[in-house]
Amino acid sequence: MSVQKEIKKTTTRTLLDMKQKGEKIAMLTAYDFTIASILDKAGIDVLLVGDSASNVMAGHETTLPITLDQMIYHAQSVVRGVNHALVVVDLPFGSYQGNSKRALESSIRIMKESGAHAVKLEGGSEVSDSIKRITSAGIPVMGHLGLTPQSIYKFGTYTVRAKDEEEADKLRKDAIKLEQAGCFAIVLEKIPAQLAGEVSQRLTIPTIGIGAGALADGQVLVTHDFLGLNNEFSPRFLRRYLHLHDMILDAVKKYSLDVKSKDFPNNSEQY
Ligand code: KIV
């Protein structure tokens, strides 16, 4: 009889317990099997199949072009690599806005076809009906307030949101609306740290910050940024844990030299 090690799975309940205990939540994005398996093995709490795949995987300027089918493809690959983390998948632009029936149908497709555990959508009171409809089907929903990249053409800039009192007040109200609508957590992107702290204290559900300071209940980074795969994107909130861009450049140059100088492959690297 083989003894199987019990794998502790992260659930939405786990995240709520973590908030209650004051334990911070660590979340990163993932879009493929290999990276997802490494992040999961390292014990990350939540993996977000972000629509930032549109930027970092497909090379688009914004998150708008990525499709529901493409998000499902990325989500399937991530789910195959995960034993422990909660996998949350972004509903892409155009798959939920202004139509709660469509929002539910898109969420059901993600859950059924990828095996992910939850969906995420952007926006405040305007998406609360969709959140109610999706959660009433038993699908957990993560909200997203502050800088919501699917609205980039409305904002016109990627700078910090909710700096003025009017927008800060709307964000406070939206956060409460999202909690009441049934969200299990909310991403707060690029807002003042003090506002994120205030909202986090007010809510029962956890907040996950990106560029929102230390008082959020958890943190998320885009994995390509966190690993330093991209040298050009250097916002103040980003801490690079590796410098893979430069490491890969050096490795490729060395490989090319080795091939051209006939150093690779050597006798022990052939049959
Ligand atoms: O798509 C994404 O990567 C995100 C994070 C920035 C939170 O939504």
Side-chain angles (χ1 to χ4, degrees), residues 4-267:
Q4 284 221 314
K5 224 173 98 199
E6 198 197 327
I7 297 157
K8 251 188 112 212
K9 303 235 182 224
T10 308
T11 65
T12 55
R13 180 73 237 176
T14 318
L15 302 185
L16 193 60
D17 289 346
M18 287 171 81
K19 169 157 180 149
Q20 282 162 1
K21 288 189 222 148
E23 202 182 312
K24 297 280 186 184
I25 297 162
M27 169 161 134
L28 284 168
T29 63
Y31 320 99
D32 70 278
F33 169 82
T34 305
I35 298 288
S37 355
I38 300 170
L39 302 181
D40 187 68
K41 212 183 281 172
I44 196 78
D45 299 308
V46 185
L47 282 179
L48 172 66
V49 184
D51 59 358
S52 49
S54 179
N55 309 105
V56 299
M57 300 301 289
H60 293 296
E61 208 177 306
T62 72
T63 57
L64 275 67
I66 199 158
T67 65
L68 184 57
D69 284 339
Q70 288 165 340
M71 287 303 296
I72 289 171
Y73 166 78
H74 287 296
Q76 288 167 336
S77 311
V78 167
V79 167
R80 279 184 218 116
V82 166
N83 286 313
H84 149 88
L86 183 84
V87 179
V88 183
V89 182
D90 262 332
L91 282 164
F93 177 70
S95 72
Y96 64 97
Q97 284 92 345
N99 185 336
S100 65
K101 182 169 177 282
R102 180 113 197 265
L104 175 60
E105 285 164 0
S106 303
S107 304
I108 289 176
R109 275 203 62 201
I110 288 176
M111 302 296 283
K112 245 187 183 335
E113 294 176 39
S114 75
H117 311 125
V119 298
K120 173 164 90 57
L121 48 69
E122 297 183 2
S125 52
E126 64 281 5
V127 289
S128 66
D129 282 346
S130 294
I131 294 167
K132 283 183 198 153
R133 199 152 176 176
I134 300 167
T135 53
S136 73
I139 301 172
V141 179
M142 181 180 272
H144 186 153
L145 294 172
L147 176 65
T148 46
Q150 291 179 11
S151 303
I152 187 58
Y153 291 118
K154 184 175 89 182
F155 297 143
T157 155
Y158 283 102
T159 54
V160 181
R161 303 305 314 174
K163 273 165 76 171
D164 65 72
E165 200 38 46
E166 195 184 336
E167 196 178 329
D169 203 44
K170 172 158 167 43
L171 190 140
R172 286 185 195 97
K173 290 185 178 129
D174 278 344
I176 291 167
K177 268 252 158 81
L178 294 195
E179 173 164 302
Q180 287 169 347
C183 280
F184 71 88
I186 302 177
V187 167
L188 298 176
E189 181 164 352
K190 242 179 160 182
I191 62 169
Q194 205 194 327
L195 177 62
E198 200 189 306
V199 169
S200 305
Q201 214 172 19
R202 182 82 196 270
L203 298 182
T204 312
I205 57 171
T207 59
I208 315 280
I210 173 163
L215 298 174
D217 302 306
Q219 299 293 327
V220 57
L221 286 175
V222 169
T223 291
H224 285 56
D225 302 337
F226 145 87
L227 293 176
L229 272 163
N230 174 1
N231 264 356
E232 276 122 55
F233 182 64
S234 291
R236 175 172 166 166
F237 68 77
L238 174 63
R239 186 181 294 179
R240 284 196 179 92
Y241 283 76
L242 277 177
H243 296 276
L244 284 187
H245 177 275
D246 294 349
M247 291 166 76
I248 293 172
L249 263 186
D250 288 348
V252 174
K253 284 181 191 161
K254 181 147 191 345
Y255 167 74
S256 289
L257 277 177
D258 287 352
V259 170
K260 289 174 199 305
S261 66
K262 302 181 186 155
D263 178 76
F264 177 80
N266 62 26
N267 283 345

